[in-house]
Amino acid sequence: MFSEFIKNKKVMNYGKFRASWAKVGSDTDPYQLGLTYTTGKYSYPGYTIAMINNNTQPNKDLKPTMTSSYELGFELKFFNNRLGLDLTYYNQTSKDQIIGLASSSTSGYTSRLINAGKIQNKGVEIALNGRVLAIKDFAWDAGINFSKNSNKVLELVEGTNYFELADASWANVSVGAEVGEDFGSIKGTDFKRNDNGDILIDGTTGMPLFEEQTKTLGNASWDWTGGFYSTFTYKNFRLSAGFDVKVGADLYSMSMRSAYLTGKAKETLAG
């Protein structure tokens, strides 16, 4: 509370600095360290037997995911609490992520659990609020907030730069974790382009040409988020409204893909 050391508080009447550090472990579902069994009864020869009930190969050496984080912040109030400002910076790193890595089904398992990966999540949050107007029994309070977050993938499994989280195989598009990118990279097939960025067209068919290898097309993470609220008070009555803003995330539209594929999109018309 550094405002305690300020003698003249006409402008800033409240000031606080905060800092914190933490280290937390997180686990996965139970029964992942060893084989578990279930029973099944068959019509012939009619015996009840026990069988392995795992599609995921267990890992007896599995370690918890460890997350270390720190946060710094300021909270300030001005003009006898009429205006408030809150600033926060946070940084957390998670390592030994518990990942279900795909395996060949001929091994008896479709995936195996491993410790891999390192992800850094850092960002800033800013909130500004205050009383805009106060006349007798009427008051108008308003506030805005802004946050920007980076969820960067620093490491994955050794020898792997991309880990698939979900895919649409029929569209050759997937979403995953890519080293050096924010979590949620969108990978797929892109058009071939010239040095000016123009799409190259096949002279025989008139159709666009495609790259042979998939590439990063975008990212599902927001560039920034924010909000605004406004509250009007008259005696014992209060009216509030809030607005949220999210900007910058990319998406792959299956509905637009279908529209282009079937000729229902305006852009597929001749000319």
Side-chain angles (χ1 to χ4, degrees):
M1 292 284 293
F2 59 85
S3 57
E4 296 294 324
F5 304 97
I6 299 176
K7 294 182 179 180
N8 188 352
K9 298 183 180 181
K10 290 183 178 180
V11 178
M12 187 178 73
N13 56 284
Y14 181 86
K16 181 173 71 174
F17 170 75
R18 62 178 182 272
S20 66
W21 178 89
K23 188 172 184 179
V24 181
S26 59
D27 60 2
T28 182
D29 296 331
Y31 313 115
Q32 301 297 314
L33 305 183
L35 293 176
T36 58
Y37 299 85
T38 187
T39 57
K41 189 170 183 178
Y42 296 87
S43 58
Y44 181 85
Y47 296 110
T48 298
I49 63 173
M51 56 187 177
I52 296 174
N53 192 33
N54 290 59
N55 290 321
T56 301
Q57 182 179 353
N59 183 354
K60 64 181 179 64
D61 298 318
L62 201 65
K63 297 182 292 184
T65 298
M66 298 301 297
T67 301
S68 300
S69 64
Y70 67 88
E71 179 180 307
L72 305 173
F74 282 96
E75 186 177 349
L76 309 173
K77 293 183 181 180
F78 303 91
F79 311 117
N80 197 24
N81 298 331
R82 285 288 296 267
L83 179 66
L85 178 65
D86 198 317
L87 305 172
T88 302
Y89 172 80
Y90 59 89
N91 190 320
Q92 69 177 33
T93 302
S94 299
K95 65 178 183 177
D96 289 331
Q97 298 278 320
I98 300 174
I99 296 175
L101 200 64
S103 298
S104 171
S105 57
T106 57
S107 66
Y109 305 97
T110 57
S111 64
R112 56 191 176 96
L113 280 183
I114 62 170
N115 284 114
K118 186 177 181 181
I119 295 180
Q120 183 185 56
N121 185 25
K122 63 180 180 179
V124 295
E125 295 178 351
I126 304 173
L128 180 67
N129 57 78
R131 174 150 290 185
V132 181
L133 188 64
I135 303 174
K136 293 184 178 180
D137 296 330
F138 175 81
W140 175 23
D141 298 303
I144 58 174
N145 62 78
F146 168 87
S147 64
K148 184 174 178 61
N149 177 73
S150 174
N151 200 11
K152 190 79 70 178
V153 180
L154 302 180
E155 297 176 8
L156 282 174
V157 186
E158 185 176 354
T160 302
N161 288 324
Y162 181 74
F163 178 75
E164 186 178 281
L165 302 171
D167 78 304
S169 56
W170 62 91
N172 199 24
V173 176
S174 65
V175 178
E178 184 176 11
V179 174
E181 300 290 338
D182 277 356
F183 192 83
S185 290
I186 303 173
K187 294 183 75 73
T189 305
D190 197 7
F191 298 113
K192 284 187 177 181
R193 301 174 186 270
N194 60 21
D195 294 338
N196 293 326
D198 302 317
I199 297 174
L200 299 180
I201 304 297
D202 188 307
T204 303
T205 64
M207 298 298 290
L209 296 175
F210 292 90
E211 299 281 358
E212 295 180 359
Q213 301 294 327
T214 60
K215 62 180 292 187
T216 303
L217 303 177
N219 194 280
S221 299
W222 302 109
D223 289 342
W224 61 272
T225 62
F228 168 78
Y229 80 88
S230 186
T231 300
F232 299 95
T233 305
Y234 179 72
K235 293 186 177 181
N236 294 327
F237 296 93
R238 176 176 293 181
L239 177 65
S240 298
F243 303 89
D244 288 325
V245 180
K246 296 180 179 180
V247 176
D250 300 309
L251 61 85
Y252 186 90
S253 173
M254 289 297 179
S255 57
M256 287 304 298
R257 178 182 184 273
S258 177
Y260 277 91
L261 188 67
T262 56
K264 296 177 181 177
K266 178 182 177 182
E267 288 79 4
T268 62
L269 292 172

